[in-house]
Amino acid sequence: MTFDLRRKRIWVAGHRGMVGGAVVRRLAAEECEIITAGRDVVDLVDQAAVKTWLTQTRPDAIILAAAKVGGIKANNDFPVDFLYQNLMIEANILQAAHEADVERVLFLGSSCIYPKFAPQPIPEDALLTGPLEPTNEWYAIAKIAGIKLTQAYRTQYGRDWISAMPTNLYGPGDNYDLNSSHVLPALLRKFHEAKVSGAPEVVLWGSGTPLREFLHCDDLADALVFLLKNYSGYEHVNVGSGVEVTIRELAETIADVVGYAAELTFDSTKPDGTPRKLMDSSRLNAMGWNRARPLRAGIAQTYDDWLQQTGAKA
Ligand code: GFB
């Protein structure tokens, strides 16, 4: 084991988000102290505030799950928010972590860092080998900068900091706002609302042909804790489920989980985004982590959780 979590103080940056919340749930099973701080305590885009808070708090490790995130439309509509906020959050935290002498940092990227037409499944070394998908290049550029900054501290100062690249995520605590969400929560909500109102059709954005790989956030959290404990290396590590589906197939699975077979119609005024982004997670698998749950089971759990949280009836 590279890093023993027992008696360590671990800051989960972004604990109110879907990924940060999952990491807090997972770390509860470890003998460590979990540190969290809401935006009211420390605003992560404020350099001075981050520096003061981290210097006072001095955690042993940071899981950097704080980020401005959103689906294809939000990424496309708000380029400044996605580029500026993510650059600030990661630069502020990494520099302050260096000054506070934090032993371990786990930075989180995203599969959209890879070129639009990367080889499939996408190996880690496909990074920076071709042009990005235009709908999310702002977010991708910020996340690439974060990976490089993490590597820079390792190279210049010998910091044992690492990065993980999750594939498309879903699960409890996701964003269900139809304008800014990712596809999976959007379709859960659309099918649920169609069932309640008896609407004959559900509208999907784009053509339904793009392929996506989905991972439950609790499986991601398990993989992140595994990497924090066991991985020390310069290169980022892909974290995926290894299974891809078309957006149409995803919609059919969600229709089945919700129990409402509406007709699918396609809004071609909305973008498809990248045609395919299946990650090659063989490095992670070879290290010993391969525990992604089946997609249908994960969607059913997520739907149950959403019904409970909103008080909606199935
Ligand atoms: O999940 P999503 O918004 O993001 O969209 P990306 C995935 C696919 O689902 C696209 C289609 O082809 C969408 O056109 N889609 C169909 C829908 N219906 C809907 C709908 O109602 N809502 C949404 N949102 N999509 C994001 C990036 O890309 O993936 C981020 O923009 C990030 O930067 C994230 O990397 C993981 O997979 O296309």
Side-chain angles (χ1 to χ4, degrees):
M1 185 188 288
T2 310
F3 187 66
D4 187 348
L5 295 188
R6 282 175 298 179
R7 291 176 295 284
K8 294 288 183 353
R9 301 172 65 246
I10 307 195
W11 176 31
V12 181
H15 72 288
R16 288 187 177 140
M18 178 177 73
V19 172
V23 170
V24 168
R25 285 194 294 279
R26 174 61 187 81
L27 283 177
E30 301 288 327
E31 292 174 48
C32 62
E33 180 188 337
I34 302 166
I35 301 171
T36 59
R39 194 167 300 175
D40 44 321
V41 176
V42 54
D43 179 358
L44 300 179
V45 298
D46 180 341
Q47 186 182 35
V50 173
K51 195 168 166 171
T52 303
W53 187 81
L54 254 181
T55 310
Q56 286 166 356
T57 311
R58 290 190 178 272
D60 298 299
I62 300 172
I63 297 184
L64 210 173
K68 168 74 180 169
V69 298
I72 192 165
K73 185 172 186 305
N75 268 264
N76 212 15
D77 290 352
F78 303 107
V80 174
D81 295 356
F82 281 83
L83 183 51
Y84 172 77
Q85 289 186 30
N86 285 309
L87 284 173
M88 293 301 283
I89 290 169
E90 62 207 27
N92 290 345
I93 292 179
L94 293 175
Q95 175 59 22
H98 172 60
E99 290 173 21
D101 208 17
V102 176
E103 190 180 345
R104 292 278 277 164
V105 174
L106 171 46
F107 175 74
L108 288 189
S110 162
S111 58
C112 69
I113 58 161
Y114 291 115
K116 176 167 184 160
F117 298 111
Q120 307 283 326
I122 313 172
E124 282 87 354
D125 62 10
L127 183 64
L128 294 172
T129 57
L132 298 164
E133 154 60 33
T135 53
N136 62 31
E137 64 178 344
W138 321 98
Y139 181 71
I141 293 279
K143 287 295 183 180
I144 292 169
I147 298 166
K148 287 291 160 194
L149 197 53
T150 303
Q151 291 174 339
Y153 284 100
R154 173 176 277 274
T155 302
Q156 189 172 336
Y157 296 112
R159 293 279 174 208
D160 191 5
W161 296 358
I162 57 173
S163 296
M165 288 316 107
T167 191
N168 283 38
L169 303 167
Y170 69 98
D174 210 342
N175 169 18
Y176 284 82
D177 174 80
L178 293 180
N179 267 320
S180 58
S181 73
H182 290 99
V183 61
L184 199 152
L187 295 188
L188 264 179
R189 180 171 173 176
K190 285 182 182 179
F191 275 95
H192 175 81
E193 289 180 353
K195 181 179 177 181
V196 170
S197 69
E201 62 172 34
V202 162
V203 180
L204 270 61
W205 294 355
S207 64
T209 59
L211 286 151
R212 293 291 183 273
E213 177 191 25
F214 294 96
L215 182 70
H216 193 283
C217 61
D218 287 328
D219 295 335
L220 172 72
D222 192 54
L224 295 180
V225 171
F226 175 86
L227 286 170
L228 187 62
K229 283 179 177 176
N230 297 300
Y231 179 66
S232 172
Y234 179 85
E235 194 163 36
H236 60 278
V237 180
N238 287 345
V239 185
S241 61
V243 178
E244 61 180 346
V245 291
T246 64
I247 297 303
R248 177 190 277 275
E249 287 165 343
L250 175 73
E252 287 164 358
T253 304
I254 290 175
D256 187 46
V257 168
V258 172
Y260 191 68
E263 188 193 337
L264 303 181
T265 57
F266 295 89
D267 176 358
S268 59
T269 65
K270 297 286 195 307
D272 267 345
T274 198
R276 194 178 174 198
K277 49 176 171 179
L278 174 65
M279 295 212 301
D280 178 352
S281 300
S282 55
R283 280 184 71 224
L284 175 67
N285 300 154
M287 286 178 221
W289 192 92
N290 193 359
R291 286 198 286 275
R293 74 198 64 191
L295 181 60
R296 196 190 182 288
I299 292 174
Q301 287 164 346
T302 304
Y303 183 47
D304 285 347
D305 179 81
W306 182 75
L307 290 172
Q308 265 182 22
Q309 296 301 323
T310 59
K313 299 265 182 294

